[in-house]
Amino acid sequence: MLIDKKHIGMKVPPHSVTPTAWQLKWFAKATGETNPIYFDDAAAAQAGLPGVLVPPTFFFCMDMDKDHPFDYLETMGCDLGKMLHGEQSFVYHKPVHAGEKLDFDGVITDIYDKKNGALQFVVKDVKVRRQGELVCDVHSVMVIRA
Amino acid sequence: MTKPNYDALNVGDAIPSFTTEPVSRLTLALYATGSGDHHPLHLDQDYVRSKGIPDVFAHGMLGMAYLGRLLTQWVPQAAIRSFGVRFTAITQVGERMVCTGKVVEKLEHAGEKCVRLELTCANEQGEAKHKADAVVALA
């Protein structure tokens, strides 16, 4: 069944995340990061940063950091078991550090299909703000297989 | 870190590449903790077999994180203007990820001198897992 395009423009329930040095330490370990500004408070302070630096792709992790990260697909009646991550992109405006509270405010910007509906695409664009200032745009394309 | 110089770079120039350690089950467990993504497809062999899939496989965003590291090893993170990836294939346990990038365009973007990079995360057999694109500001 094709997803109803009436959902284009739907707002995603907003959420807020404060990245922690603890989680960023594990992220750095998992991804083989060796630059201590990404996992060591003292090194970040020495580099003049207010906290360890949030790495480029961690904005996706924070966007997913909510009880039901794919709530918007559930609202559309999608089977999450048939979901794939198709594309992911970011536009960066300001650096972000551990301890800074971020607000995630998303909207569904497109829904389309290919191969006669065998693949459906749901596009979500999220504005990430710190105290009202835009720090990052997060653009995600999820694919739902028939 | 010596910052790359805009004038000295040409279209086609490669940026320093690296090859990761083989992606292990431990890597996936660590990434689950670091990312908060504990989907059983990446962690629980009993679950994936029940779905007819032979083994757990890597989070797509792990590969994008490797490509992010490729960028931040080349320039300070604050120089990255945009970064996007298309996921083209699944990364299996045991594969090493070969992360490479090259300059494909020199451009002015919002009054800044920038280069556009094409980045690839592939296995050692050359199968591309992720193809990415980034715009980086250079002095």
Side-chain angles (χ1 to χ4, degrees), chain A residues 35-114:
Chain A
N35 183 342
I37 64 169
Y38 290 102
F39 55 81
D40 180 34
D41 283 326
Q46 200 165 20
L49 305 178
V52 293
L53 187 58
V54 170
T57 64
F58 195 74
F59 289 92
F60 174 80
C61 307
M62 295 188 287
D63 185 36
M64 294 289 101
D65 186 1
K66 57 200 287 193
D67 286 343
H68 296 280
F70 298 107
D71 45 12
Y72 63 99
L73 293 175
E74 294 176 69
T75 302
M76 295 176 196
C78 297
D79 177 354
L80 298 186
K82 295 183 172 175
M83 179 188 69
L84 298 168
H85 198 177
E87 294 175 32
Q88 185 62 46
S89 64
F90 306 93
V91 176
Y92 302 103
H93 305 287
K94 296 283 176 186
V96 169
H97 311 89
E100 297 174 349
K101 182 178 175 237
L102 304 173
D103 301 312
F104 289 73
D105 200 2
V107 63
I108 303 308
T109 48
D110 203 5
I111 298 170
Y112 58 95
D113 63 279
K114 290 182 181 171

Side-chain angles (χ1 to χ4, degrees), chain B:
Chain B
M1 187 188 289
T2 314
K3 216 174 164 180
N5 177 273
Y6 177 85
D7 292 321
L9 278 171
N10 295 304
V11 169
D13 285 354
I15 69 170
S17 61
F18 65 78
T19 300
T20 68
E21 293 296 307
V23 171
S24 67
R25 289 165 213 284
L26 175 61
T27 312
L28 301 186
L30 289 169
Y31 188 78
T33 303
S35 68
D37 182 347
H38 293 89
H39 197 292
L41 279 173
H42 309 300
L43 298 170
D44 184 345
Q45 188 145 26
D46 300 326
Y47 172 85
V48 297
R49 283 187 177 157
S50 79
K51 298 287 179 187
I53 301 166
D55 200 356
V56 296
F57 55 87
H59 305 74
M61 288 302 289
L62 173 65
M64 190 178 190
Y66 287 146
L67 292 177
R69 199 151 66 72
L70 186 71
L71 288 173
T72 59
Q73 287 182 2
W74 189 57
V75 290
Q77 188 175 322
I80 306 171
R81 295 290 169 267
S82 64
F83 177 28
V85 68
R86 276 189 304 119
F87 300 105
T88 50
I90 281 170
T91 298
Q92 306 293 348
V93 168
E95 290 189 303
R96 289 177 190 269
M97 295 290 95
V98 182
C99 298
T100 56
K102 66 177 180 188
V103 176
V104 293
E105 187 185 358
K106 296 176 78 172
L107 66 156
E108 289 244 342
H109 173 70
E112 288 184 305
K113 287 179 176 174
C114 295
V115 292
R116 183 182 302 280
L117 301 166
E118 197 176 87
L119 311 169
T120 304
C121 183
N123 65 12
E124 291 180 290
Q125 288 71 44
E127 181 196 14
K129 307 293 188 178
H130 316 312
K131 290 186 173 177
D133 166 290
V135 173
V136 171
L138 297 174

Side-chain angles (χ1 to χ4, degrees), chain A residues 6 10-11 15-16 18 30 39-40 47 49 73-74 76 78 80-83 86 98 116 118-119 121 123 128 145:
Chain A
K6 75 176 184 189
M10 179 174 82
K11 288 191 188 311
H15 72 292
S16 300
T18 304
F39 55 81
D40 180 34
L49 305 178
L73 293 175
E74 294 176 69
M76 295 176 196
C78 297
L80 298 186
K82 295 183 172 175
M83 179 188 69
N116 292 320
L119 296 173
F121 299 79
V123 183
V128 187
R145 291 173 291 130

Side-chain angles (χ1 to χ4, degrees), chain A residues 8-40:
Chain A
I8 297 173
M10 179 174 82
K11 288 191 188 311
V12 175
H15 72 292
S16 300
V17 175
T18 304
T20 65
W22 184 89
Q23 193 177 357
L24 290 170
K25 181 181 72 179
W26 288 106
F27 189 87
K29 193 171 171 70
T31 58
E33 182 57 72
T34 55
N35 183 342
I37 64 169
Y38 290 102
F39 55 81
D40 180 34

